Amino acid sequence: MTNARTHALAMDAADPLRPFRNEFLIPKHGDREQTYFVGNSLGLQPRGARAQVLEVLDKWANEAVEGHFNGQTAWMTYHALVREPLARLVGAQPGEVVAMNTLTVNLHLMLASFYRPTPQRPAILIEAGAFPSDRHAVESQLRLHGLGPATDLVEVEPDEADGTISMAAIERAIAEQGPRLALVLWPGIQYRTGQAFDLAEIARLAHAQGAIAGFDLAHAVGNLPLALHDADADFAVWCHYKYVNAGPGAVAGCFVHERHGQAGLPRMAGWWGHEAATRFRMAPEFVPAAGAEGWQLSNPPILALAPLRASLDQFDRAGGMTALRAKSEKLTGFLDALIRERLSGTLQVITPAEPARRGAQLSLRVAGGRERGRELFEYLQQTGILGDWREPDVIRISPAPLYNRFGDVLRFVEEVEHWRGV
Ligand SMILES: *Cc1c(COP(=O)(O)O)cnc(C)c1O
């Protein structure tokens, strides 16, 4: 790609999503904008978020307790305002999703309902090197049942050269556990390597052994097209502050397949999960609302939920995940091609090369080890290019199709070349 600059300019000029960049507040580095590749950690602020938060503050100021009941954005039903756009984002039926709590809390709520070990079927299967919070959640759930990781937690080790995991290894691990397997908890995208997985296939393999299939979609939601209902996931959890741009600690998401939504599954219950029609009778018996909403505990933090409305509206206006993914594949493909062509002695892409096995993020191992890696990372920061660092020697770069340009990708590559030259 000798004419990378021409190519980048042409791609940006022809990009149908180009106007969306102006809907984001991009931090400054000196007098220019940062080149921000950290949407996998905290997405940028959509300009529309402030209006949504102010709307809540104003409603509170002007209506106080009446704000629960008045108008289109009454707080009593505020969570339902995001139900349909959220269902579109993850490929679910509206009744299968709810915005509530935070990711790890939702994971515990789901494990409380779906991890029901018996002496014959105690095991949970996850990926080795899982995000610590997921590992803590799973281990603590095992301990709540008097079990432990030594005997009942199966961690599937990477079997591919760059630390990724083949489908064959997952299939083997599931088959080995067989009837001992209670639950598979798998990431949509592994946070460290950026590897994406075939969720429908993993659900199929888990179900074939009589196990539950649950997914952590922290790095997949807003990044990959998802079809949770059709993939036959039993449950899924995710956060909204990464690719969904709903702000630090944003209210998270949860999916419960419709076949479980009516089944009266045991759960950790709270009054907001009680069926809405009779909630305010304040009776002692818990009657769960149908669907994922039946797992709500508390009346939601409305101020924290407000930015999500602005974010989900952007995904809809952008044409949904199909449109975003079309750009994302090109954008990340451009980054991948330039690194392989121009930086091969400096950066090694450890994320799988096949587009179907990755999302926006590329995980880049820096040649020369940790010290060289930190040098490069800090150099990039000083020039206003933000990626993030994963010990011991990996820089993660995630071009987000809503606000990153092909020109941003080129700038990254040119700055690495410059650093290498000095
Ligand atoms: C980001 C992330 C989390 C964060 O958990 P919170 O409860 O939102 O703090 C958990 N698990 C995975 C896999 C993540 O990527």
Side-chain angles (χ1 to χ4, degrees), residues 104-105 107-113 115 117 124 135-148 268:
T104 308
V105 173
L107 180 53
H108 273 298
L109 295 181
M110 291 294 101
L111 290 171
S113 289
Y115 177 53
I124 299 181
R135 177 73 171 62
H136 302 328
V138 164
E139 174 168 348
S140 58
Q141 289 276 339
L142 286 165
R143 294 197 186 284
L144 282 169
H145 290 280
L147 304 171
M268 315 278 276

mmCIF file with all atom_site columns, all heavy atoms in Angstrom, residues 104-105 107-113 115 117 124 135-148 268:
data_model
loop_
_atom_site.group_PDB
_atom_site.id
_atom_site.type_symbol
_atom_site.label_atom_id
_atom_site.label_alt_id
_atom_site.label_comp_id
_atom_site.label_asym_id
_atom_site.label_entity_id
_atom_site.label_seq_id
_atom_site.pdbx_PDB_ins_code
_atom_site.Cartn_x
_atom_site.Cartn_y
_atom_site.Cartn_z
_atom_site.occupancy
_atom_site.B_iso_or_equiv
_atom_site.pdbx_formal_charge
_atom_site.auth_seq_id
_atom_site.auth_comp_id
_atom_site.auth_asym_id
_atom_site.auth_atom_id
_atom_site.pdbx_PDB_model_num
ATOM 1   N N   . THR A 1 104 ? -20.425 -6.634  36.310 1.00 0.00 ? 104 THR A N   1
ATOM 2   C CA  . THR A 1 104 ? -20.113 -7.716  37.246 1.00 0.00 ? 104 THR A CA  1
ATOM 3   C C   . THR A 1 104 ? -21.319 -8.052  38.120 1.00 0.00 ? 104 THR A C   1
ATOM 4   O O   . THR A 1 104 ? -21.556 -9.222  38.449 1.00 0.00 ? 104 THR A O   1
ATOM 5   C CB  . THR A 1 104 ? -18.880 -7.360  38.101 1.00 0.00 ? 104 THR A CB  1
ATOM 6   O OG1 . THR A 1 104 ? -17.813 -6.974  37.226 1.00 0.00 ? 104 THR A OG1 1
ATOM 7   C CG2 . THR A 1 104 ? -18.422 -8.535  38.941 1.00 0.00 ? 104 THR A CG2 1
ATOM 8   N N   . VAL A 1 105 ? -22.085 -7.025  38.480 1.00 0.00 ? 105 VAL A N   1
ATOM 9   C CA  . VAL A 1 105 ? -23.311 -7.276  39.250 1.00 0.00 ? 105 VAL A CA  1
ATOM 10  C C   . VAL A 1 105 ? -24.250 -8.158  38.425 1.00 0.00 ? 105 VAL A C   1
ATOM 11  O O   . VAL A 1 105 ? -24.799 -9.152  38.925 1.00 0.00 ? 105 VAL A O   1
ATOM 12  C CB  . VAL A 1 105 ? -24.010 -5.954  39.629 1.00 0.00 ? 105 VAL A CB  1
ATOM 13  C CG1 . VAL A 1 105 ? -25.362 -6.227  40.272 1.00 0.00 ? 105 VAL A CG1 1
ATOM 14  C CG2 . VAL A 1 105 ? -23.124 -5.134  40.559 1.00 0.00 ? 105 VAL A CG2 1
ATOM 15  N N   . LEU A 1 107 ? -23.488 -10.168 36.072 1.00 0.00 ? 107 LEU A N   1
ATOM 16  C CA  . LEU A 1 107 ? -22.931 -11.514 35.953 1.00 0.00 ? 107 LEU A CA  1
ATOM 17  C C   . LEU A 1 107 ? -23.281 -12.344 37.197 1.00 0.00 ? 107 LEU A C   1
ATOM 18  O O   . LEU A 1 107 ? -23.700 -13.502 37.091 1.00 0.00 ? 107 LEU A O   1
ATOM 19  C CB  . LEU A 1 107 ? -21.407 -11.421 35.755 1.00 0.00 ? 107 LEU A CB  1
ATOM 20  C CG  . LEU A 1 107 ? -20.654 -12.744 35.609 1.00 0.00 ? 107 LEU A CG  1
ATOM 21  C CD1 . LEU A 1 107 ? -21.258 -13.621 34.521 1.00 0.00 ? 107 LEU A CD1 1
ATOM 22  C CD2 . LEU A 1 107 ? -19.176 -12.467 35.326 1.00 0.00 ? 107 LEU A CD2 1
ATOM 23  N N   . HIS A 1 108 ? -23.149 -11.737 38.363 1.00 0.00 ? 108 HIS A N   1
ATOM 24  C CA  . HIS A 1 108 ? -23.526 -12.462 39.587 1.00 0.00 ? 108 HIS A CA  1
ATOM 25  C C   . HIS A 1 108 ? -25.022 -12.804 39.590 1.00 0.00 ? 108 HIS A C   1
ATOM 26  O O   . HIS A 1 108 ? -25.406 -13.921 39.985 1.00 0.00 ? 108 HIS A O   1
ATOM 27  C CB  . HIS A 1 108 ? -23.173 -11.636 40.831 1.00 0.00 ? 108 HIS A CB  1
ATOM 28  C CG  . HIS A 1 108 ? -21.765 -11.841 41.299 1.00 0.00 ? 108 HIS A CG  1
ATOM 29  N ND1 . HIS A 1 108 ? -21.302 -13.062 41.722 1.00 0.00 ? 108 HIS A ND1 1
ATOM 30  C CD2 . HIS A 1 108 ? -20.729 -10.980 41.411 1.00 0.00 ? 108 HIS A CD2 1
ATOM 31  C CE1 . HIS A 1 108 ? -20.010 -12.944 42.078 1.00 0.00 ? 108 HIS A CE1 1
ATOM 32  N NE2 . HIS A 1 108 ? -19.647 -11.690 41.894 1.00 0.00 ? 108 HIS A NE2 1
ATOM 33  N N   . LEU A 1 109 ? -25.849 -11.866 39.170 1.00 0.00 ? 109 LEU A N   1
ATOM 34  C CA  . LEU A 1 109 ? -27.297 -12.151 39.154 1.00 0.00 ? 109 LEU A CA  1
ATOM 35  C C   . LEU A 1 109 ? -27.612 -13.309 38.212 1.00 0.00 ? 109 LEU A C   1
ATOM 36  O O   . LEU A 1 109 ? -28.444 -14.170 38.525 1.00 0.00 ? 109 LEU A O   1
ATOM 37  C CB  . LEU A 1 109 ? -28.083 -10.909 38.720 1.00 0.00 ? 109 LEU A CB  1
ATOM 38  C CG  . LEU A 1 109 ? -28.031 -9.699  39.661 1.00 0.00 ? 109 LEU A CG  1
ATOM 39  C CD1 . LEU A 1 109 ? -28.874 -8.562  39.098 1.00 0.00 ? 109 LEU A CD1 1
ATOM 40  C CD2 . LEU A 1 109 ? -28.517 -10.070 41.061 1.00 0.00 ? 109 LEU A CD2 1
ATOM 41  N N   . MET A 1 110 ? -26.931 -13.325 37.083 1.00 0.00 ? 110 MET A N   1
ATOM 42  C CA  . MET A 1 110 ? -27.176 -14.403 36.118 1.00 0.00 ? 110 MET A CA  1
ATOM 43  C C   . MET A 1 110 ? -26.647 -15.736 36.648 1.00 0.00 ? 110 MET A C   1
ATOM 44  O O   . MET A 1 110 ? -27.286 -16.779 36.501 1.00 0.00 ? 110 MET A O   1
ATOM 45  C CB  . MET A 1 110 ? -26.523 -14.060 34.772 1.00 0.00 ? 110 MET A CB  1
ATOM 46  C CG  . MET A 1 110 ? -27.186 -12.914 34.027 1.00 0.00 ? 110 MET A CG  1
ATOM 47  S SD  . MET A 1 110 ? -28.886 -13.309 33.490 1.00 0.00 ? 110 MET A SD  1
ATOM 48  C CE  . MET A 1 110 ? -29.838 -12.461 34.727 1.00 0.00 ? 110 MET A CE  1
ATOM 49  N N   . LEU A 1 111 ? -25.470 -15.699 37.264 1.00 0.00 ? 111 LEU A N   1
ATOM 50  C CA  . LEU A 1 111 ? -24.919 -16.949 37.807 1.00 0.00 ? 111 LEU A CA  1
ATOM 51  C C   . LEU A 1 111 ? -25.795 -17.472 38.946 1.00 0.00 ? 111 LEU A C   1
ATOM 52  O O   . LEU A 1 111 ? -25.967 -18.683 39.101 1.00 0.00 ? 111 LEU A O   1
ATOM 53  C CB  . LEU A 1 111 ? -23.474 -16.739 38.274 1.00 0.00 ? 111 LEU A CB  1
ATOM 54  C CG  . LEU A 1 111 ? -22.461 -16.517 37.141 1.00 0.00 ? 111 LEU A CG  1
ATOM 55  C CD1 . LEU A 1 111 ? -21.097 -16.104 37.705 1.00 0.00 ? 111 LEU A CD1 1
ATOM 56  C CD2 . LEU A 1 111 ? -22.299 -17.761 36.258 1.00 0.00 ? 111 LEU A CD2 1
ATOM 57  N N   . ALA A 1 112 ? -26.369 -16.560 39.724 1.00 0.00 ? 112 ALA A N   1
ATOM 58  C CA  . ALA A 1 112 ? -27.255 -17.002 40.810 1.00 0.00 ? 112 ALA A CA  1
ATOM 59  C C   . ALA A 1 112 ? -28.430 -17.793 40.234 1.00 0.00 ? 112 ALA A C   1
ATOM 60  O O   . ALA A 1 112 ? -28.867 -18.785 40.812 1.00 0.00 ? 112 ALA A O   1
ATOM 61  C CB  . ALA A 1 112 ? -27.757 -15.797 41.610 1.00 0.00 ? 112 ALA A CB  1
ATOM 62  N N   . SER A 1 113 ? -28.931 -17.379 39.086 1.00 0.00 ? 113 SER A N   1
ATOM 63  C CA  . SER A 1 113 ? -30.069 -18.083 38.487 1.00 0.00 ? 113 SER A CA  1
ATOM 64  C C   . SER A 1 113 ? -29.657 -19.289 37.652 1.00 0.00 ? 113 SER A C   1
ATOM 65  O O   . SER A 1 113 ? -30.348 -20.304 37.636 1.00 0.00 ? 113 SER A O   1
ATOM 66  C CB  . SER A 1 113 ? -30.856 -17.129 37.583 1.00 0.00 ? 113 SER A CB  1
ATOM 67  O OG  . SER A 1 113 ? -31.554 -16.177 38.363 1.00 0.00 ? 113 SER A OG  1
ATOM 68  N N   . TYR A 1 115 ? -26.426 -20.843 37.381 1.00 0.00 ? 115 TYR A N   1
ATOM 69  C CA  . TYR A 1 115 ? -25.458 -21.827 37.863 1.00 0.00 ? 115 TYR A CA  1
ATOM 70  C C   . TYR A 1 115 ? -26.073 -22.553 39.052 1.00 0.00 ? 115 TYR A C   1
ATOM 71  O O   . TYR A 1 115 ? -26.080 -22.060 40.171 1.00 0.00 ? 115 TYR A O   1
ATOM 72  C CB  . TYR A 1 115 ? -24.139 -21.149 38.242 1.00 0.00 ? 115 TYR A CB  1
ATOM 73  C CG  . TYR A 1 115 ? -23.131 -22.123 38.807 1.00 0.00 ? 115 TYR A CG  1
ATOM 74  C CD1 . TYR A 1 115 ? -22.787 -23.283 38.099 1.00 0.00 ? 115 TYR A CD1 1
ATOM 75  C CD2 . TYR A 1 115 ? -22.545 -21.905 40.049 1.00 0.00 ? 115 TYR A CD2 1
ATOM 76  C CE1 . TYR A 1 115 ? -21.889 -24.197 38.630 1.00 0.00 ? 115 TYR A CE1 1
ATOM 77  C CE2 . TYR A 1 115 ? -21.638 -22.816 40.583 1.00 0.00 ? 115 TYR A CE2 1
ATOM 78  C CZ  . TYR A 1 115 ? -21.325 -23.960 39.867 1.00 0.00 ? 115 TYR A CZ  1
ATOM 79  O OH  . TYR A 1 115 ? -20.443 -24.867 40.401 1.00 0.00 ? 115 TYR A OH  1
ATOM 80  N N   . PRO A 1 117 ? -25.439 -25.918 40.445 1.00 0.00 ? 117 PRO A N   1
ATOM 81  C CA  . PRO A 1 117 ? -24.642 -27.155 40.388 1.00 0.00 ? 117 PRO A CA  1
ATOM 82  C C   . PRO A 1 117 ? -25.287 -28.300 41.161 1.00 0.00 ? 117 PRO A C   1
ATOM 83  O O   . PRO A 1 117 ? -25.988 -28.080 42.155 1.00 0.00 ? 117 PRO A O   1
ATOM 84  C CB  . PRO A 1 117 ? -23.322 -26.746 41.050 1.00 0.00 ? 117 PRO A CB  1
ATOM 85  C CG  . PRO A 1 117 ? -23.687 -25.612 41.951 1.00 0.00 ? 117 PRO A CG  1
ATOM 86  C CD  . PRO A 1 117 ? -24.790 -24.871 41.255 1.00 0.00 ? 117 PRO A CD  1
ATOM 87  N N   . ILE A 1 124 ? -17.821 -25.309 35.874 1.00 0.00 ? 124 ILE A N   1
ATOM 88  C CA  . ILE A 1 124 ? -17.937 -24.100 35.043 1.00 0.00 ? 124 ILE A CA  1
ATOM 89  C C   . ILE A 1 124 ? -16.709 -24.046 34.150 1.00 0.00 ? 124 ILE A C   1
ATOM 90  O O   . ILE A 1 124 ? -15.587 -24.285 34.608 1.00 0.00 ? 124 ILE A O   1
ATOM 91  C CB  . ILE A 1 124 ? -18.010 -22.820 35.897 1.00 0.00 ? 124 ILE A CB  1
ATOM 92  C CG1 . ILE A 1 124 ? -19.236 -22.847 36.813 1.00 0.00 ? 124 ILE A CG1 1
ATOM 93  C CG2 . ILE A 1 124 ? -18.034 -21.582 35.002 1.00 0.00 ? 124 ILE A CG2 1
ATOM 94  C CD1 . ILE A 1 124 ? -19.376 -21.592 37.682 1.00 0.00 ? 124 ILE A CD1 1
ATOM 95  N N   . ARG A 1 135 ? -13.425 -13.874 36.437 1.00 0.00 ? 135 ARG A N   1
ATOM 96  C CA  . ARG A 1 135 ? -12.804 -14.971 37.182 1.00 0.00 ? 135 ARG A CA  1
ATOM 97  C C   . ARG A 1 135 ? -13.209 -14.907 38.651 1.00 0.00 ? 135 ARG A C   1
ATOM 98  O O   . ARG A 1 135 ? -13.559 -15.913 39.265 1.00 0.00 ? 135 ARG A O   1
ATOM 99  C CB  . ARG A 1 135 ? -11.280 -14.876 36.994 1.00 0.00 ? 135 ARG A CB  1
ATOM 100 C CG  . ARG A 1 135 ? -10.407 -15.887 37.737 1.00 0.00 ? 135 ARG A CG  1
ATOM 101 C CD  . ARG A 1 135 ? -10.497 -17.273 37.114 1.00 0.00 ? 135 ARG A CD  1
ATOM 102 N NE  . ARG A 1 135 ? -9.535  -18.230 37.648 1.00 0.00 ? 135 ARG A NE  1
ATOM 103 C CZ  . ARG A 1 135 ? -9.457  -18.656 38.911 1.00 0.00 ? 135 ARG A CZ  1
ATOM 104 N NH1 . ARG A 1 135 ? -10.259 -18.166 39.810 1.00 0.00 ? 135 ARG A NH1 1
ATOM 105 N NH2 . ARG A 1 135 ? -8.561  -19.562 39.259 1.00 0.00 ? 135 ARG A NH2 1
ATOM 106 N N   . HIS A 1 136 ? -13.184 -13.691 39.225 1.00 0.00 ? 136 HIS A N   1
ATOM 107 C CA  . HIS A 1 136 ? -13.591 -13.543 40.630 1.00 0.00 ? 136 HIS A CA  1
ATOM 108 C C   . HIS A 1 136 ? -15.059 -13.927 40.806 1.00 0.00 ? 136 HIS A C   1
ATOM 109 O O   . HIS A 1 136 ? -15.423 -14.581 41.790 1.00 0.00 ? 136 HIS A O   1
ATOM 110 C CB  . HIS A 1 136 ? -13.418 -12.086 41.104 1.00 0.00 ? 136 HIS A CB  1
ATOM 111 C CG  . HIS A 1 136 ? -12.024 -11.555 40.992 1.00 0.00 ? 136 HIS A CG  1
ATOM 112 N ND1 . HIS A 1 136 ? -10.904 -12.342 41.127 1.00 0.00 ? 136 HIS A ND1 1
ATOM 113 C CD2 . HIS A 1 136 ? -11.557 -10.300 40.774 1.00 0.00 ? 136 HIS A CD2 1
ATOM 114 C CE1 . HIS A 1 136 ? -9.813  -11.584 40.979 1.00 0.00 ? 136 HIS A CE1 1
ATOM 115 N NE2 . HIS A 1 136 ? -10.194 -10.350 40.767 1.00 0.00 ? 136 HIS A NE2 1
ATOM 116 N N   . ALA A 1 137 ? -15.885 -13.479 39.889 1.00 0.00 ? 137 ALA A N   1
ATOM 117 C CA  . ALA A 1 137 ? -17.320 -13.768 40.003 1.00 0.00 ? 137 ALA A CA  1
ATOM 118 C C   . ALA A 1 137 ? -17.552 -15.273 39.977 1.00 0.00 ? 137 ALA A C   1
ATOM 119 O O   . ALA A 1 137 ? -18.269 -15.825 40.817 1.00 0.00 ? 137 ALA A O   1
ATOM 120 C CB  . ALA A 1 137 ? -18.092 -13.085 38.868 1.00 0.00 ? 137 ALA A CB  1
ATOM 121 N N   . VAL A 1 138 ? -16.908 -15.937 39.031 1.00 0.00 ? 138 VAL A N   1
ATOM 122 C CA  . VAL A 1 138 ? -17.113 -17.377 38.885 1.00 0.00 ? 138 VAL A CA  1
ATOM 123 C C   . VAL A 1 138 ? -16.562 -18.133 40.095 1.00 0.00 ? 138 VAL A C   1
ATOM 124 O O   . VAL A 1 138 ? -17.237 -19.000 40.662 1.00 0.00 ? 138 VAL A O   1
ATOM 125 C CB  . VAL A 1 138 ? -16.454 -17.857 37.568 1.00 0.00 ? 138 VAL A CB  1
ATOM 126 C CG1 . VAL A 1 138 ? -16.302 -19.355 37.552 1.00 0.00 ? 138 VAL A CG1 1
ATOM 127 C CG2 . VAL A 1 138 ? -17.285 -17.389 36.375 1.00 0.00 ? 138 VAL A CG2 1
ATOM 128 N N   . GLU A 1 139 ? -15.361 -17.776 40.513 1.00 0.00 ? 139 GLU A N   1
ATOM 129 C CA  . GLU A 1 139 ? -14.778 -18.483 41.669 1.00 0.00 ? 139 GLU A CA  1
ATOM 130 C C   . GLU A 1 139 ? -15.638 -18.264 42.920 1.00 0.00 ? 139 GLU A C   1
ATOM 131 O O   . GLU A 1 139 ? -15.892 -19.204 43.687 1.00 0.00 ? 139 GLU A O   1
ATOM 132 C CB  . GLU A 1 139 ? -13.342 -18.024 41.935 1.00 0.00 ? 139 GLU A CB  1
ATOM 133 C CG  . GLU A 1 139 ? -12.821 -18.670 43.213 1.00 0.00 ? 139 GLU A CG  1
ATOM 134 C CD  . GLU A 1 139 ? -11.321 -18.537 43.452 1.00 0.00 ? 139 GLU A CD  1
ATOM 135 O OE1 . GLU A 1 139 ? -10.589 -18.137 42.539 1.00 0.00 ? 139 GLU A OE1 1
ATOM 136 O OE2 . GLU A 1 139 ? -10.904 -18.864 44.581 1.00 0.00 ? 139 GLU A OE2 1
ATOM 137 N N   . SER A 1 140 ? -16.110 -17.040 43.129 1.00 0.00 ? 140 SER A N   1
ATOM 138 C CA  . SER A 1 140 ? -16.897 -16.787 44.341 1.00 0.00 ? 140 SER A CA  1
ATOM 139 C C   . SER A 1 140 ? -18.242 -17.508 44.275 1.00 0.00 ? 140 SER A C   1
ATOM 140 O O   . SER A 1 140 ? -18.753 -17.966 45.296 1.00 0.00 ? 140 SER A O   1
ATOM 141 C CB  . SER A 1 140 ? -17.063 -15.289 44.578 1.00 0.00 ? 140 SER A CB  1
ATOM 142 O OG  . SER A 1 140 ? -17.677 -14.661 43.484 1.00 0.00 ? 140 SER A OG  1
ATOM 143 N N   . GLN A 1 141 ? -18.787 -17.652 43.079 1.00 0.00 ? 141 GLN A N   1
ATOM 144 C CA  . GLN A 1 141 ? -20.037 -18.408 42.953 1.00 0.00 ? 141 GLN A CA  1
ATOM 145 C C   . GLN A 1 141 ? -19.807 -19.890 43.270 1.00 0.00 ? 141 GLN A C   1
ATOM 146 O O   . GLN A 1 141 ? -20.628 -20.517 43.929 1.00 0.00 ? 141 GLN A O   1
ATOM 147 C CB  . GLN A 1 141 ? -20.623 -18.258 41.543 1.00 0.00 ? 141 GLN A CB  1
ATOM 148 C CG  . GLN A 1 141 ? -21.192 -16.876 41.271 1.00 0.00 ? 141 GLN A CG  1
ATOM 149 C CD  . GLN A 1 141 ? -22.612 -16.696 41.777 1.00 0.00 ? 141 GLN A CD  1
ATOM 150 O OE1 . GLN A 1 141 ? -23.342 -17.674 41.985 1.00 0.00 ? 141 GLN A OE1 1
ATOM 151 N NE2 . GLN A 1 141 ? -23.022 -15.446 41.968 1.00 0.00 ? 141 GLN A NE2 1
ATOM 152 N N   . LEU A 1 142 ? -18.672 -20.409 42.789 1.00 0.00 ? 142 LEU A N   1
ATOM 153 C CA  . LEU A 1 142 ? -18.338 -21.792 43.147 1.00 0.00 ? 142 LEU A CA  1
ATOM 154 C C   . LEU A 1 142 ? -18.294 -21.933 44.666 1.00 0.00 ? 142 LEU A C   1
ATOM 155 O O   . LEU A 1 142 ? -18.867 -22.865 45.247 1.00 0.00 ? 142 LEU A O   1
ATOM 156 C CB  . LEU A 1 142 ? -16.975 -22.191 42.563 1.00 0.00 ? 142 LEU A CB  1
ATOM 157 C CG  . LEU A 1 142 ? -16.908 -22.449 41.061 1.00 0.00 ? 142 LEU A CG  1
ATOM 158 C CD1 . LEU A 1 142 ? -15.458 -22.456 40.585 1.00 0.00 ? 142 LEU A CD1 1
ATOM 159 C CD2 . LEU A 1 142 ? -17.569 -23.781 40.709 1.00 0.00 ? 142 LEU A CD2 1
ATOM 160 N N   . ARG A 1 143 ? -17.636 -20.981 45.322 1.00 0.00 ? 143 ARG A N   1
ATOM 161 C CA  . ARG A 1 143 ? -17.463 -21.067 46.783 1.00 0.00 ? 143 ARG A CA  1
ATOM 162 C C   . ARG A 1 143 ? -18.800 -20.915 47.511 1.00 0.00 ? 143 ARG A C   1
ATOM 163 O O   . ARG A 1 143 ? -19.007 -21.530 48.562 1.00 0.00 ? 143 ARG A O   1
ATOM 164 C CB  . ARG A 1 143 ? -16.445 -20.032 47.252 1.00 0.00 ? 143 ARG A CB  1
ATOM 165 C CG  . ARG A 1 143 ? -15.045 -20.327 46.709 1.00 0.00 ? 143 ARG A CG  1
ATOM 166 C CD  . ARG A 1 143 ? -13.950 -19.596 47.463 1.00 0.00 ? 143 ARG A CD  1
ATOM 167 N NE  . ARG A 1 143 ? -12.653 -19.790 46.813 1.00 0.00 ? 143 ARG A NE  1
ATOM 168 C CZ  . ARG A 1 143 ? -11.927 -20.906 46.875 1.00 0.00 ? 143 ARG A CZ  1
ATOM 169 N NH1 . ARG A 1 143 ? -12.372 -21.955 47.567 1.00 0.00 ? 143 ARG A NH1 1
ATOM 170 N NH2 . ARG A 1 143 ? -10.780 -20.995 46.239 1.00 0.00 ? 143 ARG A NH2 1
ATOM 171 N N   . LEU A 1 144 ? -19.688 -20.118 46.977 1.00 0.00 ? 144 LEU A N   1
ATOM 172 C CA  . LEU A 1 144 ? -21.018 -19.990 47.597 1.00 0.00 ? 144 LEU A CA  1
ATOM 173 C C   . LEU A 1 144 ? -21.740 -21.336 47.626 1.00 0.00 ? 144 LEU A C   1
ATOM 174 O O   . LEU A 1 144 ? -22.604 -21.568 48.461 1.00 0.00 ? 144 LEU A O   1
ATOM 175 C CB  . LEU A 1 144 ? -21.874 -18.966 46.828 1.00 0.00 ? 144 LEU A CB  1
ATOM 176 C CG  . LEU A 1 144 ? -21.569 -17.494 47.111 1.00 0.00 ? 144 LEU A CG  1
ATOM 177 C CD1 . LEU A 1 144 ? -22.280 -16.599 46.099 1.00 0.00 ? 144 LEU A CD1 1
ATOM 178 C CD2 . LEU A 1 144 ? -22.007 -17.124 48.524 1.00 0.00 ? 144 LEU A CD2 1
ATOM 179 N N   . HIS A 1 145 ? -21.384 -22.193 46.665 1.00 0.00 ? 145 HIS A N   1
ATOM 180 C CA  . HIS A 1 145 ? -21.987 -23.532 46.629 1.00 0.00 ? 145 HIS A CA  1
ATOM 181 C C   . HIS A 1 145 ? -21.111 -24.569 47.321 1.00 0.00 ? 145 HIS A C   1
ATOM 182 O O   . HIS A 1 145 ? -21.342 -25.769 47.169 1.00 0.00 ? 145 HIS A O   1
ATOM 183 C CB  . HIS A 1 145 ? -22.227 -23.956 45.174 1.00 0.00 ? 145 HIS A CB  1
ATOM 184 C CG  . HIS A 1 145 ? -23.325 -23.189 44.500 1.00 0.00 ? 145 HIS A CG  1
ATOM 185 N ND1 . HIS A 1 145 ? -24.657 -23.475 44.695 1.00 0.00 ? 145 HIS A ND1 1
ATOM 186 C CD2 . HIS A 1 145 ? -23.299 -22.130 43.654 1.00 0.00 ? 145 HIS A CD2 1
ATOM 187 C CE1 . HIS A 1 145 ? -25.398 -22.635 43.982 1.00 0.00 ? 145 HIS A CE1 1
ATOM 188 N NE2 . HIS A 1 145 ? -24.599 -21.808 43.342 1.00 0.00 ? 145 HIS A NE2 1
ATOM 189 N N   . GLY A 1 146 ? -20.084 -24.130 48.031 1.00 0.00 ? 146 GLY A N   1
ATOM 190 C CA  . GLY A 1 146 ? -19.210 -25.073 48.717 1.00 0.00 ? 146 GLY A CA  1
ATOM 191 C C   . GLY A 1 146 ? -18.256 -25.787 47.774 1.00 0.00 ? 146 GLY A C   1
ATOM 192 O O   . GLY A 1 146 ? -17.684 -26.822 48.127 1.00 0.00 ? 146 GLY A O   1
ATOM 193 N N   . LEU A 1 147 ? -18.070 -25.255 46.575 1.00 0.00 ? 147 LEU A N   1
ATOM 194 C CA  . LEU A 1 147 ? -17.165 -25.868 45.598 1.00 0.00 ? 147 LEU A CA  1
ATOM 195 C C   . LEU A 1 147 ? -15.929 -24.973 45.460 1.00 0.00 ? 147 LEU A C   1
ATOM 196 O O   . LEU A 1 147 ? -15.829 -23.946 46.125 1.00 0.00 ? 147 LEU A O   1
ATOM 197 C CB  . LEU A 1 147 ? -17.893 -26.007 44.258 1.00 0.00 ? 147 LEU A CB  1
ATOM 198 C CG  . LEU A 1 147 ? -19.216 -26.784 44.316 1.00 0.00 ? 147 LEU A CG  1
ATOM 199 C CD1 . LEU A 1 147 ? -19.964 -26.671 42.987 1.00 0.00 ? 147 LEU A CD1 1
ATOM 200 C CD2 . LEU A 1 147 ? -18.974 -28.243 44.671 1.00 0.00 ? 147 LEU A CD2 1
ATOM 201 N N   . GLY A 1 148 ? -15.016 -25.367 44.593 1.00 0.00 ? 148 GLY A N   1
ATOM 202 C CA  . GLY A 1 148 ? -13.810 -24.553 44.449 1.00 0.00 ? 148 GLY A CA  1
ATOM 203 C C   . GLY A 1 148 ? -13.206 -24.689 43.071 1.00 0.00 ? 148 GLY A C   1
ATOM 204 O O   . GLY A 1 148 ? -13.500 -25.645 42.343 1.00 0.00 ? 148 GLY A O   1
ATOM 205 N N   . MET A 1 268 ? -32.040 -13.698 42.531 1.00 0.00 ? 268 MET A N   1
ATOM 206 C CA  . MET A 1 268 ? -31.920 -12.653 43.538 1.00 0.00 ? 268 MET A CA  1
ATOM 207 C C   . MET A 1 268 ? -32.976 -11.619 43.161 1.00 0.00 ? 268 MET A C   1
ATOM 208 O O   . MET A 1 268 ? -32.875 -11.021 42.095 1.00 0.00 ? 268 MET A O   1
ATOM 209 C CB  . MET A 1 268 ? -30.541 -12.009 43.471 1.00 0.00 ? 268 MET A CB  1
ATOM 210 C CG  . MET A 1 268 ? -29.376 -12.970 43.347 1.00 0.00 ? 268 MET A CG  1
ATOM 211 S SD  . MET A 1 268 ? -28.869 -13.664 44.896 1.00 0.00 ? 268 MET A SD  1
ATOM 212 C CE  . MET A 1 268 ? -27.814 -12.374 45.479 1.00 0.00 ? 268 MET A CE  1
#
